[in-house]
Amino acid sequence: MAVQAQTTTSASAAQPAPSSQQNTPSPSSAPAQQNVPPLQLHDLPPESHTPTPQEAAEQERERILMEVSRLATLQAQWGPPSSTPGMSIELKEVGRTKAPDGTTQIAWQITGKGFSPDQKLVLTQWPLDGRPQRLMSGIQFNSQGTAVCAAPLPAAGTGSDSAQSLAAAAAGLRQPGAVPPAAAPAAPAPSKDVRPLPPSCAAMIKPGQPVEIRAAVAPGEAVRIALVGDGVKDGKPVRVGAATSMVPYPMKGTDKGCTLQVIRGMKNAGMVLVDGDGFPKDTSLKVDTVTTGQSRVLTVRTDAQGHFTMATLPALEGKDEGDTTVHMGGEVQAPSLETPKTPPASLNCDPSVTFHWGKDSYKPQ
């Protein structure tokens, strides 16, 4: 339907003009009025809409959920899934000391497999509520498979430790690099997004000394590290390395060989990873979470080793802290019109774990 504009003429303009001007039409008004087309709906400007408080809150909630989902995926893949095939590292505890603030500082050394003896590596650590941080460069493995500080390179040398060939582990260890080996001539200029190397380990510890990681952590907190460097595959330079994580104070429950573990995804446990082991392989399971009497049922499928990792947000609207219990709810039975000849085996274990989330829930031991 067309919406036609209405033109209102004042009483004085409607009366005849004086005789001396009757034969002189106004070129600026009369033709314009005759040629103006009626106003159509599609000519109207789009209606501006300011989100209501409820809509704005929902948009923010969706944004947060997307960020949390991305964070959970990255944390779940940190370790063997993000490591170069054939390379692995582990954290080996070597001591504990009491800090002045009463927390316990744990020290670890790094052991590894699959690295070449002359390979120079960058150490990256991913703390909770932070981004992966490149801590030091110039690390290599000795003959016993322990990560140690290598002797510093000559000042004029570039070597495989060049800034254009190393990157943080979180950027993806499997991605191919664009840097030729150090001995190759006419190396291309570094790309614009290349960052400088972190400080050399030789500025902090003696050459040949084992590299140590020290931290005071809370229950359910994972220590995540990676070692990344240069490699060659099929005659081409590639970025290689390995990542690992460990939880010094696990929050877990075990029953009849099945284990549930809760790992903090954030310091206040606003997001956690639920790790399951020892369950039937390739099976859909129900995981129940109970917070202040309110239950939620989540579904997850185990892999070929009977393992699964899933993320959950335990917080409730209007609550800034609370306790949540996670336990198994059994197998998910697919609906069928036929009675199977062999009924599926029922899940005979029910591990559970309870944890506190919210303000003041992060307390390093």
Side-chain angles (χ1 to χ4, degrees), residues 88-106:
S88 63
I89 58 174
E90 293 182 0
L91 286 169
K92 176 184 177 183
E93 185 176 329
V94 293
R96 299 191 179 199
T97 57
K98 210 69 173 178
D101 61 0
T103 61
T104 300
Q105 289 281 330
I106 308 176

Side-chain angles (χ1 to χ4, degrees), residues 194-219:
V194 168
R195 297 168 294 169
L197 282 174
S200 170
C201 59
M204 309 173 196
I205 58 178
K206 297 179 180 180
Q209 182 176 344
V211 175
E212 288 190 358
I213 303 294
R214 295 178 179 271
V217 297

Side-chain angles (χ1 to χ4, degrees), residues 25 55 66 136-137 160 247 273 293-294 296 299 314 326 341 357:
E55 290 173 337
M66 290 180 62
M136 64 177 72
S137 60
S160 61
V247 182
L273 298 177
Q294 298 189 31
R296 282 185 291 184
T299 59
V326 181
K341 296 181 179 179
W357 53 266

Side-chain angles (χ1 to χ4, degrees), residues 87-166:
M87 290 184 173
S88 63
I89 58 174
E90 293 182 0
L91 286 169
K92 176 184 177 183
E93 185 176 329
V94 293
R96 299 191 179 199
T97 57
K98 210 69 173 178
D101 61 0
T103 61
T104 300
Q105 289 281 330
I106 308 176
W108 298 271
Q109 292 180 359
I110 308 169
T111 61
K113 297 179 180 179
F115 296 85
S116 61
D118 58 346
Q119 203 163 27
K120 302 296 176 58
L121 306 164
V122 167
L123 172 65
T124 296
Q125 185 173 6
W126 189 4
L128 278 179
D129 293 4
R131 296 178 179 273
Q133 302 171 355
R134 301 194 306 166
L135 302 182
M136 64 177 72
S137 60
I139 300 170
Q140 64 184 173
F141 284 96
N142 62 16
S143 58
Q144 287 77 41
T146 300
V148 299
C149 183
L153 293 172
T158 55
S160 61
D161 231 358
S162 60
Q164 62 192 27
S165 62
L166 295 172

Side-chain angles (χ1 to χ4, degrees), residues 214-241:
R214 295 178 179 271
V217 297
E221 180 178 3
V223 178
R224 296 184 175 94
I225 67 161
L227 286 173
V228 189
D230 288 340
V232 177
K233 182 178 181 180
D234 299 329
K236 298 180 180 180
V238 293
R239 188 185 311 152
V240 297

